[in-house]
Amino acid sequence: MRAYLIFELRRLIREPRMAIFTVVLPVLIYTISSGSSGDAGQVGGVDVAAYLMVSMAAYGALVGALSVGIAVSQERANGWLRQLRITPLAPTQVVAVKALLASLLAIPPVVSVGLVAAFAHGVSFSAGQWAALVVLMWLGSLPFAAFGLALGFTLPPQLTQPVSMLGVFGLAFLGGLFVPVAVMPHVLASIATWLPSNRFAELGWSVVAGQAPPAGGVAILAAWALVFGALAAWAYRRSAALR
């Protein structure tokens, strides 16, 4: 499994195109949003600039994590997954490695948007807060990586990309990444609190507010991780059975 992990990591490093969607796009949206909203005021007890920073970093992380499904669907089409099935690797190991590497794509948007927020808007945190932000946003992206894998193991290549992008925008909008939950209609606000995207961003909002993430939110995110992980493993086995 270690050799497979190193192999997939090298493949990930050789794929620079994702930087456009996971780094450039979140930074661009953050720059526009922060410029139009200004730096004054707070949202949920967090300064506007810091709140938007976490929201856009979370959005970039969603894009990066779910993008793994696009690559997986292409691997299904070109026969690479068939080669993996004849190796000693168990389905859970394949899913775990791909989910772990996809979650690494959550780190660049956190760092890049954070740097822009620090230099352009004076957003400042302690070294411990920055470290906690990066680690929590990385770990919190695992459910979305598993969700992306489930899509990739199930859908053909021509459908995986549009469905993944719809999933990203749906989770981002309904989860309060574009519009704060506090100003959403009551029904949408109630839905948002049960979505993994909202609880994912809540990890970052809590850190920048100098608080520990709410236990209830962490539990909801962990539950989604189990659901998506099981779904990805099932989809991998199902794709193997159909071949």
Side-chain angles (χ1 to χ4, degrees), residues 32-100:
I32 296 173
S33 301
S34 58
S36 61
S37 62
D39 297 330
Q42 291 190 333
V43 179
V46 178
D47 290 343
V48 170
Y51 185 92
L52 290 174
M53 180 200 78
V54 172
S55 297
M56 290 305 100
Y59 171 70
L62 285 180
V63 174
L66 264 73
S67 68
V68 67
I70 301 172
V72 165
S73 66
Q74 293 171 345
E75 290 176 354
R76 286 176 57 225
N78 62 28
W80 171 243
L81 289 184
R82 287 198 299 272
Q83 298 300 316
L84 285 180
R85 292 180 192 120
I86 63 176
T87 68
L89 290 169
T92 52
Q93 291 178 313
V94 174
V95 171
V97 167
K98 287 187 173 294
L100 175 62

Side-chain angles (χ1 to χ4, degrees), residues 2 4 12 49 62 77 82 92 157 171 207 214 240:
R2 179 175 176 272
Y4 176 58
L12 181 66
L62 285 180
R82 287 198 299 272
T92 52
L171 287 169
V207 170

Side-chain angles (χ1 to χ4, degrees), residues 1-11 80 84 89 93 97 101:
M1 182 173 175
R2 179 175 176 272
Y4 176 58
L5 175 62
I6 295 174
F7 172 77
E8 290 287 359
L9 181 59
R10 288 174 177 169
R11 293 180 67 196
W80 171 243
L84 285 180
L89 290 169
Q93 291 178 313
V97 167
L101 293 180

